[in-house]
């Protein structure tokens, strides 16, 4: 899970010693709230069902069972899915090939052509600077090119690209 925290405004910043002193004062209450959530989770877990199970199924079930001790029902699932989507978007944005594929596919639902055609279309869209970078595959037959093809062959990846034969 990724947590994005707001910056602390300058007027609310304090030395670490002061922060820990305030935490020590609140620690019993924090522990009490956490134990209440665990008690709620233990009571609710046998009855907790999700419409679909994510990759971390037990974690999602446990957090869902505990959530109403802390938040309204559905809060965890909404945050979990949003966080997962943001993480995927971040990975795609950080990968020049994936970002170029996303741009190519914004106006279509399918792409047909050879691996060379696709690499050429992606390079044209990405621009010369990106296409000449070390991270860009030299050709569809290079080790990098095979790894690119492997990305599109995974059944859980989108968009679907259909190579011509």
């Amino acid at each position: 899970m990724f947590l994005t925290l707001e910056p602390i405004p300058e007027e609310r910043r304090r030395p670490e010693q002061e922060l820990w002193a305030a935490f020590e004062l609140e620690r019993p209450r924090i522990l009490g709230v956490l134990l209440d959530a665990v008690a709620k989770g233990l009571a609710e877990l046998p009855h907790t069902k999700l419409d679909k199970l994510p990759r971390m199924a037990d974690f999602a079930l446990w957090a869902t069972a505990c959530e109403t001790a802390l938040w309204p029902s559905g809060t965890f699932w909404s945050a979990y899915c949003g966080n997962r989507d943001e993480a995927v978007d971040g990975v795609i944005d950080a990968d020049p090939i994936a970002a170029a594929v996303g741009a190519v596919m914004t106006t279509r639902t399918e792409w047909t052509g050879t691996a060379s055609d696709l690499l050429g279309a992606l390079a044209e869209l990405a621009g010369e600077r990106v296409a000449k970078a070390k991270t860009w595959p030299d050709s569809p037959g290079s080790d990098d090119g095979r790894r690119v093809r492997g990305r599109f062959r995974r059944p859980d990846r989108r968009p679907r690209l259909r190579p011509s034969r």
Side-chain angles (χ1 to χ4, degrees):
M1 294 188 80
F2 293 94
L3 296 176
T4 304
L5 303 176
E6 297 288 324
I8 299 171
E10 196 170 319
E11 65 275 3
R12 294 190 57 218
R13 294 178 189 165
R14 53 189 169 171
E16 187 175 355
Q17 183 178 6
E18 189 179 313
L19 174 76
W20 283 114
F23 173 77
E24 288 300 324
L25 288 174
E26 292 295 322
R27 186 163 47 159
R29 191 179 72 77
I30 293 168
L31 181 59
V33 169
L34 291 174
L35 290 174
D36 286 346
V38 168
K40 178 74 166 184
L42 289 171
E44 294 295 325
L45 189 59
H47 315 290
T48 301
K49 304 280 185 262
L50 296 173
D51 291 337
K52 57 183 179 177
L53 293 175
R55 291 176 70 187
M56 295 173 40
D58 290 330
F59 165 72
L61 285 166
W62 178 246
T64 300
C66 295
E67 81 177 329
T68 57
L70 304 169
W71 309 291
S73 182
T75 301
F76 166 76
W77 188 249
S78 177
Y80 181 81
C81 291
N83 190 279
R84 186 181 57 203
D85 292 346
E86 284 182 35
V88 168
D89 289 345
V91 169
I92 289 171
D93 290 344
D95 183 328
I97 295 170
V101 168
V104 165
M105 297 306 292
T106 57
T107 59
R108 57 179 78 193
T109 59
E110 182 176 301
W111 186 90
T112 304
T114 65
S116 294
D117 293 340
L118 176 60
L119 192 57
L122 296 177
E124 186 177 311
L125 192 66
E128 186 176 346
R129 185 180 64 75
V130 173
K132 293 205 184 269
K134 290 182 181 181
T135 57
W136 196 268
D138 296 330
S139 70
S142 68
D143 286 341
D144 285 339
R146 283 190 285 280
R147 282 195 294 273
V148 171
R149 275 198 311 273
R151 290 180 189 172
F152 299 126
R153 288 195 173 120
R154 286 190 49 191
D156 61 335
R157 298 288 174 138
R158 297 278 189 260
R160 298 276 184 230
L161 299 177
R162 297 182 185 184
S164 62
R165 306 241 176 224

